[in-house]
Amino acid sequence: MPGSPQSRTGRPPVQRAAKRPAAPVPPHDNPVLRLHHRLRRAWDRPLTAYYLISGAGALITVLGLIMVYSASQITALQLSLPGSYFFRKHFLAALIGAGLLVAAMKMPVKLHRALAYPILAGAVCLMILVQVPGIGVAVNGNQNWIALGGSFQIQPSEFGKLALVLWGADLLARKQDKKLLTQWKHMLVPLVPAAFMLLGLIMIGGDMGTAIILTAILFGLLWLAGAPTRLFAGVLSVAVLLGFILIKTSPNRMARLNCLGATDPGPGDACWQAVHGIYALASGGLFGSGLGASVEKWGQLPEAHTDFIFAVTGEELGLAGTLSVLALFAALGYAGIRVAGRTEDPFVRYAAGGVTTWITAQAVINIGAVLGLLPIAGVPLPLFSYGGSALLPTMFAIGLLIAFARDEPGARAALALRQPRFGRKRGARGPVAKRSPRSWNTMRRRASKARSSGER
């Protein structure tokens, strides 16, 4: 062609493609980035919250059973009881709680909402019966117990936490459906008066610790409902003022407040429990003295198997054991927040947020008291400390979280793809039975295209 360059052979030169720029090195070639990518992908799977709640709840409960057995032996022997006395009672409560957990996990959301009012009415009636002479029983100066016969007692205020969560979530969800939460009076009434009624019944018996947890649940529900800052600050100011008055007028509560950061029992051994809790943690070291080898539980540390079981855990399992417990509670709290943040059902959001606030706030108050950072409030460590009255409603609440986590759209789709690994459907007879869509349950199903998250 005229005007085109020619080669020596008379043919036009070969047009070579432009050199491609070097492709960037994928992050998967870096082991650290590859691990980070895999962890992030696993973290974003739809069943992550379900596995975290189930696994963390089960591990905390099992580890709590082990530590209750270890921490309660000396106390039981001092009371002329068998060494496994408290463990057997706690194990029985755990079995009943497991049944409640499974029941709550299988219940539909409509049934949870229907149970809100009966549970609230039952909790109020039981808390009123606590103050009836001959029915209510005082323990450690607080009359918050009802004797059931023999050595079994029940603390109705523990069920008041569950009642406030379910009833408050149902109330706020119905008001949100009617678009009434934009008005402050509908946000406060009747939620705040009902919560104050429960607080009054609890404070008549003198249980300041449970009242603090109930207040935290109330604030959590108001926060999730979108309470304005001024309204939230007003309710918080009233609660702080009432708390200050209750603490100032009680010598026992003032003594507990004065033990913050104490390193010596002080005059009259007023800070004995707080100081020996620190001694137990300090003597544990990195990996502890060994399971069952605690020294402080031999009569030095009061309430070693209930309120201060975390101190015995630190002494026997060391820093590794206490950090493991903290990690499990952190995972449980994160999963609860994730469930509350991803759902579109207002009741599920309020109930999941209320349960998460309840468990995390109670864990922080208990562990903070053992560490000497907060006053001793006398509240057990959720799922961990001895006590059936606290364990039963808490395990039911964990079942609620599991049910809510399974009810997410992505989680439902992932669970629908899961089938038992082996086994043929009953009714398929003969070696060459006709296969229906559900006649065979295999380990792998041909649904890889429908799996957007990689879940099995």
Side-chain angles (χ1 to χ4, degrees):
M1 295 178 62
S4 61
Q6 299 289 331
S7 64
R8 293 181 180 180
T9 61
R11 298 177 181 177
V14 179
Q15 298 293 332
R16 296 182 178 180
K19 188 178 181 181
R20 295 181 179 179
V25 179
H28 305 287
D29 291 345
N30 189 324
V32 178
L33 294 179
R34 188 189 313 125
L35 179 61
H36 176 267
H37 178 74
R38 289 181 178 178
L39 290 176
R40 186 171 183 178
R41 185 173 59 181
W43 201 253
D44 290 335
R45 289 181 176 181
L47 289 178
T48 297
Y50 169 71
Y51 288 139
L52 283 178
I53 297 170
S54 304
L59 288 175
I60 294 173
T61 305
V62 172
L63 184 57
L65 284 168
I66 296 173
M67 293 311 304
V68 164
Y69 180 68
S70 175
S72 64
Q73 289 181 347
I74 306 305
T75 303
L77 294 175
Q78 289 175 343
L79 296 174
S80 301
L81 298 171
S84 60
Y85 174 78
F86 292 105
F87 168 76
R88 287 180 295 178
K89 291 183 62 178
H90 192 66
F91 183 73
L92 177 61
L95 290 179
I96 300 174
L100 293 176
L101 186 149
V102 173
M105 185 177 65
K106 299 294 184 181
M107 288 180 186
V109 174
K110 291 183 179 180
L111 184 55
H112 289 147
R113 300 186 69 167
L115 289 176
Y117 284 86
I119 292 177
L120 177 65
V124 171
C125 292
L126 289 176
M127 283 191 279
I128 293 175
L129 288 177
V130 166
Q131 307 305 323
V132 177
I135 299 178
V137 178
V139 177
N140 294 331
N142 296 336
Q143 185 159 341
N144 288 298
W145 299 80
I146 294 177
L148 299 180
S151 60
F152 291 95
Q153 297 175 343
I154 187 174
Q155 188 176 3
S157 57
E158 293 291 340
F159 296 89
K161 304 172 187 176
L162 179 63
L164 181 60
V165 168
L166 289 178
W167 177 79
D170 178 70
L171 175 68
L172 293 175
R174 286 189 288 106
K175 290 196 173 188
Q176 180 173 332
D177 292 338
K178 297 179 181 179
K179 299 181 180 180
L180 297 175
L181 291 182
T182 55
Q183 306 177 28
W184 67 269
K185 60 180 180 180
H186 285 288
M187 187 174 292
L188 294 182
V189 180
L191 177 62
V192 174
F196 280 3
M197 176 190 66
L198 294 175
L199 289 171
L201 292 174
I202 293 173
M203 288 308 302
I204 291 176
D207 191 355
M208 183 74 176
T210 304
I212 294 175
I213 306 300
L214 217 65
T215 306
I217 295 173
L218 173 63
F219 288 152
L221 291 174
L222 290 177
W223 181 272
L224 291 169
T229 305
R230 290 180 298 177
L231 183 62
F232 196 83
V235 178
L236 182 61
S237 301
V238 173
V240 170
L241 179 61
L242 291 176
F244 176 78
I245 295 174
L246 292 173
I247 293 175
K248 196 69 176 178
T249 55
S250 173
N252 183 30
R253 299 188 186 114
M254 281 298 301
R256 292 184 179 186
L257 187 63
N258 293 331
C259 291
L260 283 177
T263 57
D264 185 84
D269 293 332
C271 302
W272 179 273
Q273 187 177 23
V275 170
H276 279 270
I278 297 297
Y279 289 169
L281 291 172
S283 59
L286 188 59
F287 296 104
S289 58
L291 192 63
S294 171
V295 176
E296 290 293 332
K297 68 182 181 183
W298 287 77
Q300 300 295 323
L301 181 62
E303 308 296 338
H305 60 297
T306 55
D307 302 344
F308 271 69
I309 193 171
F310 188 75
V312 179
T313 304
E315 185 178 6
E316 295 188 350
L317 303 182
L319 181 63
T322 54
L323 289 181
S324 299
V325 174
L326 291 176
L328 290 174
F329 276 110
L332 192 60
Y334 166 79
I337 294 173
R338 174 169 169 161
V339 171
R342 293 193 174 191
T343 184
E344 297 180 357
D345 189 334
F347 172 79
V348 173
R349 179 170 64 253
Y350 295 132
V355 169
T356 305
T357 303
W358 161 16
I359 295 177
T360 53
Q362 187 165 327
V364 168
I365 292 173
N366 178 275
I367 296 174
V370 174
L371 295 175
L373 303 176
L374 295 174
I376 299 175
V379 296
L381 190 58
L383 301 173
F384 203 83
S385 297
Y386 168 80
S389 295
L391 185 62
L392 296 181
T394 307
M395 294 191 74
F396 186 89
I398 295 296
L400 283 177
L401 288 181
I402 295 175
F404 297 156
R406 293 179 58 181
D407 199 47
E408 292 182 6
R412 285 201 306 266
L415 289 172
L417 296 175
R418 299 177 60 186
Q419 292 288 342
R421 294 188 176 184
F422 303 103
R424 183 166 51 181
K425 185 178 180 181
R426 294 182 179 178
R429 299 176 180 273
V432 188
K434 184 179 179 181
R435 292 187 181 181
S436 63
R438 294 189 178 181
S439 61
W440 287 88
N441 296 327
T442 58
M443 184 171 64
R444 294 180 180 271
R445 299 184 62 191
R446 298 176 181 177
S448 58
K449 294 182 180 180
R451 295 177 185 171
S452 60
S453 61
E455 281 289 341
R456 291 185 181 179

